């Protein structure tokens, strides 16, 4: 399964991934106009500090046995058989926050007015997710675990 | 191989799905006393409130049974288990109003059986509970009956300040009714949150026009055939046309207990969710499992636990050796825009527990973690819930959090902050995804 991996050794915690993610999930898809949108688009990635000068960019890990899918009482969170990705169906979501309650990565965010949640969808409209493209140090990588391990060598 | 599953809600359905990941062909028979069981029980109050479309409660497709090659036996009741012959006795209802009886039954053979019979609402033991207009809120049938009489209802009394009582109150307020909640104990949601969180929530609920009376119980439901009011134990009377009883649930253990399967409050299970009888498993609201926070056998009658137990039981029925890590009490509640999530032990009753609390009145935020020997046993987050799952991971993996104790309730306490703890942990965080995040550290 292809997903996003972060090389902590390269991550600066600069937040470029967060901005790129929010812009990609905005109406305008362009920073200047995006910042005046109401409500503001929500980022699905977070640059989090582990300790001083050590950071990680995290989001949905598309877990094999995903706690959010098990907890979802409306069938909105599901595993996509073909790709193995954890997907979210807005038409089914009721905003009960059970997925937030169970996600060990804190990777799911409320869209308060809409009573929906949002999380990393790997940017379905792009070849490469916006965060991966925006990362100035190439800390973020889209690929399989095997490929990621390979480039770390 | 023939699998039989009694119960077709969260645990039963998850078990079907799990079995089918390992065994595509063997026969699965699902027995349910509900005619249309593929709805999400938790969403009934949302539907009553009118905040979701009816189609949203059908959380699995109509074709679910067909797609999973399940033979459903719906609208019938499992009335006995012969553990020696490996048979379930199923009684037809044979017409409306007729009670299931042994006179009209057939036997269904099983090689592996799952008992996921769930729980039933506890009814008040007071005069008048049998009057027209008194309902629990557990099944879609209850919801439909309540819905049908709403036009004639102006005022509602909710007996019980637990989750279901308050969800019903919220729903009926949303439908324009005058709602009063009578809570026997001193505060609402006393099984789920602590006093401080309860006060914040009660304030919000009352601001929106629902009346809450604590320390008061109903002693009688009055009226002729139909409800006209409730008489309270403080001597006062309250006029209403509808009474909702939200007094919690009790597990449906009878069928197991009467057939020689070991029960306590619920059906006793092993780490593999097997009962004391070979080839018979149990999961969901009827099953007692190891509670991670309490460290003892307990029932956590909540949707996520039922699904996870159903999944594990299903895998083990199909021949796997999957261990259940144990259950953890957890609830997510939102009333009128104030979200609250609680996990594990939130009202510790012994001095061995330590509490860390953060209050931010300006932002209506309240956070608490409960610690025992440096390990988190429970937490409540009010109006700032996004990272509660990270706390849940610390509880499940029994991590000593002494190193991060000072910052654990800060807004910025997120997954990044527990990475050093994951790196250090020898026994916990076994899932591949945790390992992947620390690969480069």
């Amino acid at each position: 399964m292809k997903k996003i991996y972060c090389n902590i050794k390269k991550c600066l915690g600069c937040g470029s991934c967060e901005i790129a993610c929010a812009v990609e999930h905005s109406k305008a898809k362009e920073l200047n106009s995006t910042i005046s949108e109401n409500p503001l688009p929500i980022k699905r990635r977070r640059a989090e500090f582990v300790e001083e000068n050590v950071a990680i960019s995290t989001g949905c890990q598309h877990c094999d046995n995903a706690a959010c899918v098990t907890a979802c009482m409306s069938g909105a969170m599901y595993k996509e058989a073909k790709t193995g990705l954890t997907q979210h169906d807005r038409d089914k979501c009721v905003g009960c926050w059970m997925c937030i309650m169970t996600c060990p990565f804190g990777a799911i965010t409320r869209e308060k007015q809409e009573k929906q949640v949002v999380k990393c969808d790997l940017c379905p409209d792009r070849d490469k997710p916006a965060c991966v493209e925006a990362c100035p140090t190439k800390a973020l990588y889209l690929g399989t675990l095997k490929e990621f391990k390979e480039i770390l060598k | 191989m023939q699998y039989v599953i009694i119960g077709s809600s969260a645990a039963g359905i998850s078990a079907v799905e799990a079995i089918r990941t390992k065994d595509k062909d063997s026969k699965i028979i699902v027995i349910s006393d509900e005619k249309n069981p593929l709805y999400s029980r938790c969403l009934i109050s949302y539907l009553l409130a009118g905040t979701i479309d009816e189609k949203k409660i059908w959380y699995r497709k109509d074709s679910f049974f067909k797609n999973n090659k399940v033979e459903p036996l719906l609208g019938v009741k499992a009335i006995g288990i012969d553990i020696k012959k490996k048979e379930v006795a199923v009684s037809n209802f044979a017409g409306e109003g007729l009670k299931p009886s042994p006179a009209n039954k057939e036997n269904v053979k099983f090689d592996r059986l799952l008992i996921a019979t769930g729980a039933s609402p506890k009814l008040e033991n007071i005069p008048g509970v049998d009057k027209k207009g008194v309902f629990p809120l557990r099944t879609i049938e209850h919801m439909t009956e309540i819905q049908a009489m709403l036009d004639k209802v102006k005022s509602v009394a909710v007996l019980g300040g637990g989750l279901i009582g308050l969800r019903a109150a919220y729903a009926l307020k949303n439908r324009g009714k005058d709602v009063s909640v009578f809570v026997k104990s001193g505060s609402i949601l006393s099984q789920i949150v602590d006093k401080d969180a309860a006060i914040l929530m009660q304030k919000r609920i009352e601001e929106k026009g629902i009346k809450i009376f604590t320390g008061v119980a109903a002693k009688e439901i009055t009226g002729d055939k139909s409800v006209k009011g409730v008489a309270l134990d403080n001597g006062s009377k309250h006029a209403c046309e509808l009474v909702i009883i939200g007094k919690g649930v009790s597990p449906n253990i009878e069928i197991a207990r009467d057939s020689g399967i070991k029960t306590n409050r619920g059906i006793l299970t092993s780490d593999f969710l097997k009962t004391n009888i070979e080839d018979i498993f149990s999961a969901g609201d009827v099953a007692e499992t190891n509670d991670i926070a309490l460290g003892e056998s307990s029932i956590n009658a909540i949707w996520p636990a039922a699904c996870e137990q159903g999944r594990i039981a299903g895998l083990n029925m199909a021949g796997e050796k999957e261990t259940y890590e144990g259950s953890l009490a957890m609830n997510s509640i939102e009333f009128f825009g104030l979200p609250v999530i609680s996990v594990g032990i939130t009202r510790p009753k012994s001095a061995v527990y330590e509490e860390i609390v953060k209050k931010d009145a300006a932002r209506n935020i309240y956070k608490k973690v409960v610690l025992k020997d440096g390990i988190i046993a429970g937490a409540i987050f009010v109006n700032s819930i996004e990272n509660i799952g990270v706390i849940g991971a610390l509880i499940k993996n029994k991590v000593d959090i002494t190193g991060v104790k000072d910052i654990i309730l800060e807004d910025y306490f997120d997954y990044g902050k527990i990475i050093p703890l994951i790196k250090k942990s020898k026994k916990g965080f076994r899932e591949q995804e945790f390992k992947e995040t620390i690969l480069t550290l």
Side-chain angles (χ1 to χ4, degrees), chain B residues 175-209:
Chain B
R175 299 291 294 270
K177 307 301 167 195
D178 180 39
V179 182
S180 301
V181 184
F182 300 97
V183 190
K184 205 172 190 172
S185 70
S187 63
I188 59 168
L189 295 165
S190 55
Q191 304 289 319
I192 295 176
V193 298
D194 67 0
K195 190 110 192 171
D196 290 281
I199 289 169
L200 283 174
M201 298 173 81
Q202 183 168 342
K203 189 166 161 266
R204 176 65 61 99
I205 295 167
E206 286 175 331
E207 277 168 8
K208 301 291 175 180

Side-chain angles (χ1 to χ4, degrees), chain A residues 60-146:
Chain A
C60 175
Q61 305 293 322
H62 299 279
C63 302
D64 186 25
N65 174 27
C68 59
V69 173
T70 305
C72 181
M73 63 189 201
S74 69
M77 244 1 139
Y78 65 100
K79 292 302 283 183
E80 195 173 66
K82 207 166 62 188
T83 58
L85 296 177
T86 305
Q87 300 286 23
H88 176 247
D89 181 347
R90 290 179 71 88
D91 289 338
K92 286 192 166 179
C93 182
V94 299
C96 69
W97 322 136
M98 303 271 267
C99 52
I100 291 176
M101 177 170 83
T102 51
C103 174
F105 301 97
I108 305 172
T109 309
R110 279 183 298 155
E111 206 175 63
K112 294 178 196 170
Q113 273 121 347
E114 298 287 322
K115 278 274 203 172
Q116 290 271 327
V117 295
V118 296
K119 65 165 205 71
C120 171
D121 55 6
L122 289 182
C123 295
D125 302 339
R126 305 170 66 105
D127 290 340
K128 216 183 220 185
C131 57
V132 176
E133 227 157 65
C135 180
T137 61
K138 301 218 171 349
L140 289 178
Y141 177 78
L142 174 77
T144 62
L145 179 62
K146 206 174 150 206

